[in-house]
Each structure stands twice: as C-alpha cells, then as structure tokens.
Amino acid sequence: MSATRLLVLGVVRGFGRTHGYRVRAELLSWGIDDWANVKPGSIYHALRQLAKDGLLEASEIMDWPGRVDYSVTPEGDEEFFRLLVDALERPERRDDTLRAGLALMPALSRDRAVAALSRRLGVLEAQRAVLLKESGTARAEGLPPHLAELWRMRMRYADLGVEWTRDLLERVSSGEYELAGEDRDPFGAPGSRQALGAPSAH
C-alpha cells in the first residue's frame, strides 16, 4: 500500500474540496519530507490516479484555467478508512505507511483506533513469541557467538515494537488525543478547518 495514496485521500477528505497545491502545502506543513517518501510530483500523480479510480471527483475550475479541485467520493471515503485501519493494524507494512496512519489516526473514532491498535499488538506479540522460540533453538544448536547478535538485535526490535504499541494503545484507550466525533479539527492539528465542510469521520 502506498503511504502517498492514504495521505492524499486523507488531506482531500479533511478539506472537503481542494486542489493539488493546497494538498501539497498541507502535507509539507506536516513535515512529510522528513518521515515519508512522498515527493511533490507523486502527490499530483496520486490525485490524478485516485480520480481515475473513482475515489476522488475532479472538477475543472472554469474561471481558473488549469486548476482542478478534488473531493472524496463515497467509494474514496470507504477506501480511506480501509487504508487507514490497515496501516495501523498490520505491522508488516512499511514504516512510512505506519507513519501516515498515525498522522491520520484522528479521523478514526476512539473505538475503531483502539481495535486497530489492539490487533496490531496481538500480531506483534505472536511474532515475538515465535522469534523467541526460534532464537532459543538456534542457540541450542551451537550458533557461533557473533551470529547470536543477529538474534539479539531482532529480539530488541520485536520488544520495542510490542512496547511502543502497548504504550500507544494504553494512551489512546485512556482518552489521550482528540479523535473523530470529539469536536476537533479534521486533521487533529492546530487551526480549525471545520468550516471547510470535512465529512464526518468513522
């Protein structure tokens, strides 16, 4: 799954109706050049492709030659939430996909965010258990000491994934962060864009 696809759908949905330059400016204001592999050209390509796929509606502005405004279709709204939940609950996704999911998490209801993070935690705990068993077998079979560092490294990463996810889940469950339906800006960021008519979140 492309993090760009999720981010572009999310920003257009947040504004309600907007154009490519505004989408790009909004994403840059989030610092995506530091945490996501999203290039300016890929944003415009994603807008065109999403419109071609029927997930965005494209409208040419007659009074502004060359400008196209976009809004999310019902199918696009459904796809946005599918991608967002998938990004949060599936740990095998790329890091930039998880980061996109975290950036857009305020679009989810608290119950839905908790459910997605709970599933993620369950998968990570199961993966860690398998890794622990495999590393014990490898050591028992006389793995050279320096190669054992590879298993230690993998276990540290597995531990970190479980610990971070559990911590985030606890904070979200306890009411931290403003999520959908809790009287917040559609992007969960300072500066309300409610007047733009952003669709109601799930």
Side-chain angles (χ1 to χ4, degrees):
M1 180 188 71
S2 166
T4 306
R5 189 177 177 90
L6 172 57
L7 287 165
V8 169
L9 273 174
V11 171
V12 174
R13 183 180 182 279
F15 278 120
R17 182 185 179 94
T18 192
H19 51 88
Y21 180 81
R22 198 178 189 190
V23 172
R24 176 177 177 270
E26 181 66 26
L27 287 173
L28 288 174
S29 77
W30 295 4
I32 61 160
D33 44 341
D34 293 327
W35 53 263
N37 186 28
V38 178
K39 308 299 181 188
S42 66
I43 293 172
Y44 293 102
H45 174 75
L47 286 165
R48 291 190 296 269
Q49 188 60 49
L50 288 164
K52 183 179 178 181
D53 294 342
L55 304 178
L56 292 180
E57 180 180 347
S59 305
E60 293 189 15
I61 308 302
M62 297 304 175
D63 295 337
W64 195 331
R67 173 170 159 171
V68 178
D69 277 3
Y70 296 91
S71 57
V72 177
T73 65
E75 294 80 8
D77 201 53
E78 183 177 335
E79 176 70 356
F80 166 71
F81 282 105
R82 186 190 72 79
L83 293 174
L84 177 52
V85 169
D86 191 68
L88 292 174
E89 73 180 15
R90 294 182 60 183
E92 67 270 23
R93 293 303 190 189
R94 291 176 13 171
D95 285 349
D96 60 345
T97 301
L98 171 60
R99 292 167 186 156
L102 291 172
L104 294 164
M105 186 174 68
L108 294 175
S109 66
R110 192 165 301 278
D111 286 347
R112 202 167 183 189
V114 166
L117 292 171
S118 296
R119 285 190 289 270
R120 181 184 191 87
L121 179 60
V123 172
L124 287 171
E125 288 176 332
Q127 289 175 345
R128 183 176 65 174
V130 169
L131 187 59
L132 182 60
K133 182 178 179 180
E134 290 176 347
S135 66
T137 300
R139 286 194 299 271
E141 292 175 351
L143 190 70
H146 67 285
L147 292 180
E149 290 300 331
L150 298 173
W151 287 100
R152 290 190 185 95
M153 179 181 68
R154 292 176 66 188
M155 283 303 306
R156 290 289 180 88
Y157 279 119
D159 289 342
L160 178 62
V162 168
E163 180 182 333
W164 174 81
T165 303
R166 183 181 292 126
D167 180 60
L168 176 60
L169 176 58
E170 288 175 357
R171 285 185 280 113
V172 172
S173 298
S174 67
E176 198 164 326
Y177 310 116
E178 291 185 35
L179 301 183
E182 298 176 353
D183 192 27
R184 56 141 187 84
D185 164 64
F187 296 122
S192 177
R193 299 180 179 86
Q194 301 264 359
L196 295 172
S200 60
H202 289 202

